[in-house]
Amino acid sequence: MPDIRIHGGRLIDPANQLDEPLDLYISAGQVAAVGQAPDGFTADIELDASGLCVVPGLIDLCARVREPGQEHKASIDSECRAAAAAGITTLCCPPDTMPVVDTPAVVELIRHRARQTNASRIVVLGALTRQLKGEHLSEMAALQQAGCVGVSNAHHPLQSTLVERRAFEYAATFGLTVFLHASDVALEAGGCAHEGHIATRLGLPGIPEAAETVAVARDLALIEQAGTRAHFCRLSTQRAVRMVARARFDGLPVTADVAIPYLHFTEVELSGFSPDYHFIPPLRTPLDRQGLLEGLRDGTLSALCSDHQPHEPDAKLAPFPITEPGASGIDSLLPLTLKLADENLLTLSQAIEQVTSGPAGILNLPYGRLSAGSPADVCIFDPGATWRLDASSMNSQGTNTPFLGWEMKGRTRYTLRDGQIIFGATAS
Amino acid sequence: MSAANLQIRPDGHLRHFLCIEGLNRGLLTEILDAAESFAGVAEQSVKKVPLLRGKTIVNLFFEASTRTRTTFELAAKRLSADVLNINISASAAVKGETLLDTLRNLEAMHVDMFVVRHAESGTAHFFACKALPHVSVINAGDGRHEHPTQAMLDMFTIRREKGADFGRLRVAIVGDILHSRVARSQIHALNLLNTGEVRVIAPRTLLPAHVESLGVRVFNDLREGLRDIDVVIMLRLQRERMQGALLPSEREYYQLYGLTEEKLSMARPDVTIMHPGPINRGVEMDSQVADGPRSVILQQVTYGIAVRMAVMSMAMQQNTPAGTASA
């Protein structure tokens, strides 16, 4: 494994509160030193990062790679390579593949296929219940042993609050974090848009705010009861953010994240029935968007993810309510995160934190930082480079995104995972 | 693209007819005036005009309909167009052909206009977005979104009954506003025509969120809502609403929201009573009211043909390529 020196760049490492011109030394797949070369270090490879930013490799807290089971949408190979090209070194995949991630064999299949790509790594959330049916507990200890970094029932409902309580307690037995999609299915009632004046005008079945807040309230009560560590995935309402903030203030071991589209769009975008804006949970009001941004600023939300959901074109070629929700987001995660800093909604360091040490903390993984001894996951990007997001510039197999045609600022030049250059090796 | 841009040509003429929202008063009046001229056609011994001779219109119905489909069919035939009726039940759609494939296949047969009804909101927009440049799309009802030709025939009926000055009228829409595409189109049309006051009357479970943002006054009590009203439009209550905890029973609904002579005494003496059909007698209204002298329910059906002739001819006339004479 080569020793690498990355020199001349602006090193931003929020976990260590660093933001200054510093060289980075990598040896044996780990960060050897920051600033001063370790004794006797000779670089096999020199990477010139003049004019570039050097940050920890990004962690995308929610990316569906569609494999196994939906390879017509994307594959582990396509998405791990796309992630590498986007500066993302770790993808966290929810368990709703086909088959579901409820046995060690499926975990091993995904991890094996990811290793074969020699690009970004995948970490996997195991199913909270068998086949995600919400009835029987999954073999969580076995899943943990196989490498699952947490458990989740994805968007599938649990049969009862009793199952939820037992699942939380069982997960807590092994110190597994439960990843929750807070939505009350009965209140969701098959809706496809935020229940508000836009859905009323368009005649789209609505999903009320209460679908989220009722679920968060119920989950919080059970989290407290079970003493489990829990993470709320993709909050969409201001009220839910405030409920989580209150729970954190009260000392509950809970964290939460938000996905990029919810920071840029609101229900207003639905006016033309464009399926690109079909999301679950739905895009909500401008006030909710403000609430999410506030949550990022005050630390209630500690991760920003792409909520990557690549689709084949047909999945979006239908009237809005019967299209599949979600957008492809890997390619645009870095520039759209940087955009928050560009618009002074967050500082650059805060923004980077949300896609590095923030998610690493939630997943309890040693990535997302450039401390000596930590795995050498590095993203080197040109903060001023602009490019247009379109089907030809995207690396993900899915090109379904409402950001299509947007000008992106910030482009990855090199990506290193475990000290290996997985993207940009040939670029000068 | 917003609906308004999609359905109006740069020169201001109609290209598709997808929803009332986004149209303007001038266009609505133009449709009503055109319908007025077509209303006479049915009374002639030869009930045809050659406006759309040589054009092919497909009624593409993914949802059951008798009234709307037949009046569209008659309207097309009276305009001398060739008409094809295709009823695609949900089970046939399950066979796998996507909506887009259905559209492309029919386009390949040189269809000029699609009249589309579908259970999902936004279907007509989807067709309009994907249709070839010379093909027009008429929305015959999409999910809970809009049913614009029904609203126009209702406006036509009101204009015939009450005159062209909508400003002095109070109009109430009663019933299941939540699930009603007819109500949404009516509300937009009434407001575009400057109706003095538009009211909706329903229990809270049958009102959509922020319904007042559509430009209506909301009443939960039928008697109160009917006070001094000039026109009352009753909506059909679908039986399945009794499931899903929206209403306790038809009996209680009829007691509270069923239109009877007694409750009508709150309205103006010359009140006009409308219903898009089909009526559930004894649920939304009493037979005495439905068949009474102030009811114009059957006229609505008759006018439906003239209004649909107007909309079809307006959308199609502009499709005739320059240089080829239109009849």
Side-chain angles (χ1 to χ4, degrees):
Chain A
M1 199 166 280
D3 288 355
I4 302 171
R5 171 174 171 248
I6 301 168
H7 61 88
R10 172 182 172 186
L11 187 137
I12 307 170
D13 180 17
N16 292 305
Q17 280 144 22
L18 289 177
D19 181 359
E20 52 195 288
L22 287 169
D23 292 354
L24 183 66
Y25 300 88
I26 292 165
S27 182
Q30 296 182 335
V31 174
V34 177
Q36 289 288 327
D39 289 345
F41 184 93
T42 45
D44 303 309
I45 299 174
E46 293 268 358
L47 293 181
D48 181 3
S50 307
L52 308 178
C53 291
V54 179
V55 302
L58 273 54
I59 301 170
D60 194 344
L61 196 53
C62 185
R64 284 177 169 77
V65 293
R66 305 299 192 191
E67 190 182 344
Q70 291 186 295
E71 288 83 352
H72 60 294
K73 293 183 186 292
S75 68
I76 289 173
D77 190 68
S78 67
E79 303 316 284
C80 283
R81 288 176 197 284
I88 302 164
T89 47
T90 305
L91 295 173
C92 180
C93 298
D96 52 355
T97 45
M98 292 192 276
V100 162
V101 184
D102 61 355
T103 60
V106 182
V107 183
E108 188 40 49
L109 169 84
I110 294 172
R111 287 161 58 95
H112 174 70
R113 294 277 295 108
R115 277 193 299 271
Q116 277 182 331
T117 68
N118 213 19
S120 300
R121 77 169 69 78
I122 290 182
V123 296
V124 184
L125 297 179
L128 187 67
T129 60
R130 236 184 278 167
Q131 302 203 331
L132 298 176
K133 284 191 173 158
E135 294 165 8
H136 305 284
L137 301 186
S138 66
E139 294 180 347
M140 294 183 212
L143 290 171
Q144 186 178 33
Q145 259 182 350
C148 285
V149 293
V151 282
S152 167
N153 224 51
H155 283 290
H156 298 253
L158 296 169
Q159 207 187 40
S160 71
T161 39
L162 182 62
V163 171
E164 182 171 352
R165 177 188 172 182
R166 300 289 190 234
F168 284 9
E169 287 171 345
Y170 197 67
T173 310
F174 311 104
L176 276 164
T177 303
V178 181
F179 287 72
L180 297 163
H181 290 265
S183 188
D184 186 280
V185 177
L187 287 173
E188 238 181 53
C192 63
H194 172 66
E195 184 180 295
H197 65 105
I198 300 287
T200 288
R201 267 178 47 215
L202 298 177
L204 294 172
I207 300 177
E209 177 194 58
E212 183 163 290
T213 51
V214 163
V216 169
R218 181 199 61 213
D219 293 345
L220 284 173
L222 292 170
I223 288 162
E224 189 167 15
Q225 170 90 36
T228 189
R229 211 171 95 104
H231 175 77
F232 287 101
C233 307
R234 266 103 289 147
L235 291 184
S236 68
T237 65
Q238 183 190 46
R239 268 179 214 279
V241 173
R242 290 187 177 168
M243 290 164 78
V244 171
R246 176 75 218 187
R248 286 168 59 85
F249 178 80
D250 290 342
L252 254 62
V254 291
T255 49
D257 73 71
V258 60
I260 289 274
Y262 300 86
L263 300 177
H264 289 277
F265 303 121
T266 65
E267 55 172 347
V268 176
E269 309 291 341
L270 271 58
S271 289
F273 285 109
S274 167
D276 284 337
Y277 299 100
H278 185 186
F279 288 94
I280 298 292
L283 297 172
R284 301 207 184 256
T285 68
L287 204 64
D288 290 310
R289 180 176 165 264
Q290 284 308 317
L292 293 167
L293 284 167
E294 249 159 58
L296 276 179
R297 273 193 296 263
D298 68 24
T300 306
L301 305 174
S302 50
L304 191 52
C305 68
S306 74
D307 196 16
H308 181 63
Q309 299 182 51
H311 286 296
E312 78 283 15
D314 279 352
K316 293 283 187 185
L317 275 175
F320 185 96
I322 46 178
T323 54
E324 294 186 51
S328 178
I330 279 179
D331 288 276
S332 49
L333 178 65
L334 174 66
L336 290 172
T337 300
L338 297 174
K339 192 175 169 65
L340 297 172
D342 238 21
E343 292 172 354
N344 294 319
L345 297 166
L346 299 175
T347 66
L348 182 58
S349 181
Q350 275 176 330
I352 301 285
E353 184 178 359
Q354 299 291 342
V355 288
T356 56
S357 57
I362 292 162
L363 294 165
N364 197 21
L365 290 171
Y367 315 128
R369 56 178 60 227
L370 298 174
S371 312
S374 59
D377 291 0
V378 187
C379 164
I380 305 172
F381 66 90
D382 181 344
T386 57
W387 54 288
R388 186 172 293 275
L389 187 78
D390 54 39
S392 63
S393 67
M394 289 178 74
N395 290 296
S396 168
Q397 192 173 319
T399 55
N400 52 298
T401 162
F403 295 101
L404 220 56
W406 281 40
E407 186 172 88
M408 298 282 152
K409 195 170 161 202
R411 177 139 233 186
T412 307
R413 293 294 178 220
Y414 297 97
T415 307
L416 287 76
R417 194 253 309 131
D418 291 316
Q420 271 189 358
I421 300 173
I422 56 171
F423 173 76
T426 56
S428 62
Chain B
M1 193 188 280
S2 83
N5 300 336
L6 203 56
Q7 57 185 346
I8 301 177
R9 293 170 198 282
D11 65 4
H13 285 101
L14 211 56
R15 160 143 166 57
H16 304 291
F17 195 55
L18 310 174
C19 54
I20 303 288
E21 192 187 9
L23 297 182
N24 55 61
R25 180 138 61 113
L27 253 172
L28 296 199
T29 308
E30 201 184 321
I31 293 170
L32 295 177
D33 291 345
E36 202 66 62
S37 70
F38 285 120
V41 172
E43 279 132 42
Q44 299 163 8
S45 60
V46 177
K47 298 186 180 59
K48 264 189 198 259
V49 288
L51 277 175
L52 299 187
R53 195 167 51 199
K55 300 288 185 189
T56 306
I57 296 175
V58 170
N59 281 330
L60 197 51
F61 278 59
F62 295 89
E63 241 188 8
S65 156
T66 316
R67 196 174 330 250
T68 302
R69 192 185 53 69
T70 12
T71 49
F72 264 114
E73 186 177 350
L74 276 175
K77 284 180 170 162
R78 287 183 186 166
L79 290 167
S80 310
D82 296 313
V83 190
L84 197 63
N85 289 311
I86 303 182
N87 299 313
I88 304 179
S89 66
S91 62
V94 170
K95 279 182 189 165
E97 188 173 63
T98 65
L99 284 179
L100 194 58
D101 285 334
T102 306
L103 174 72
R104 291 277 177 261
N105 275 284
L106 289 165
E107 275 179 345
M109 302 172 201
H110 300 288
V111 166
D112 301 288
M113 173 180 279
F114 289 95
V115 176
V116 182
R117 168 173 288 194
H118 196 281
E120 299 294 348
S121 304
T123 303
H125 282 79
F126 174 72
F127 272 84
C129 285
K130 302 296 175 195
L132 291 172
H134 69 277
V135 172
S136 286
V137 176
I138 309 282
N139 185 5
D142 63 326
R144 308 175 183 180
H145 177 223
E146 287 219 31
H147 190 353
T149 57
Q150 175 70 44
M152 288 315 294
L153 75 88
D154 294 332
M155 298 309 112
F156 187 82
T157 310
I158 294 173
R159 197 169 84 162
R160 278 235 164 159
E161 291 294 316
K162 301 289 185 194
D165 181 11
F166 280 62
R168 54 178 194 82
L169 296 180
R170 291 193 184 92
V171 180
I173 306 170
V174 185
D176 186 359
I177 313 290
L178 175 63
H179 298 93
S180 178
R181 53 193 172 213
V182 174
R184 282 172 179 76
S185 288
Q186 286 167 340
I187 291 167
H188 291 308
L190 287 166
N191 282 325
L192 279 175
L193 294 170
N194 283 345
T195 305
E197 187 182 331
V198 185
R199 301 178 185 174
V200 294
I201 309 172
R204 293 278 299 271
T205 46
L206 297 182
L207 289 169
H210 305 298
V211 63
E212 67 288 344
S213 69
L214 296 175
V216 294
R217 271 186 78 190
V218 182
F219 290 81
N220 298 128
D221 183 274
L222 180 59
R223 278 191 182 79
E224 223 175 283
L226 287 180
R227 193 181 297 277
D228 298 325
I229 216 80
D230 297 282
V231 177
V232 51
I233 304 174
M234 302 302 294
L235 297 175
R236 175 177 165 75
L237 184 77
Q238 296 187 336
R239 290 258 147 80
E240 52 264 35
R241 304 299 171 231
M242 299 308 146
Q243 287 122 41
L246 286 162
L247 291 173
S249 66
E250 287 183 359
R251 193 177 63 87
E252 181 154 310
Y253 183 80
Y254 177 68
Q255 260 176 13
L256 297 174
Y257 297 98
L259 195 62
T260 60
E261 287 292 346
E262 185 263 317
K263 287 175 194 146
L264 263 181
S265 63
M266 301 299 292
R268 289 176 54 95
D270 62 343
V271 64
T272 297
I273 295 152
M274 299 169 57
H275 191 299
I279 312 172
N280 290 315
R281 289 169 187 265
V283 181
E284 298 112 52
M285 62 166 75
D286 211 40
S287 283
Q288 213 187 339
V289 175
D291 305 329
R294 292 174 293 188
S295 158
V296 294
I297 296 171
L298 291 176
Q299 284 93 314
Q300 285 177 268
V301 180
T302 310
Y303 298 153
I305 300 170
V307 166
R308 283 166 180 138
M309 286 171 80
V311 170
M312 287 170 141
S313 61
M314 282 169 67
M316 284 282 259
Q317 250 168 11
Q318 307 302 322
N319 280 347
T320 311
T324 62
S326 72

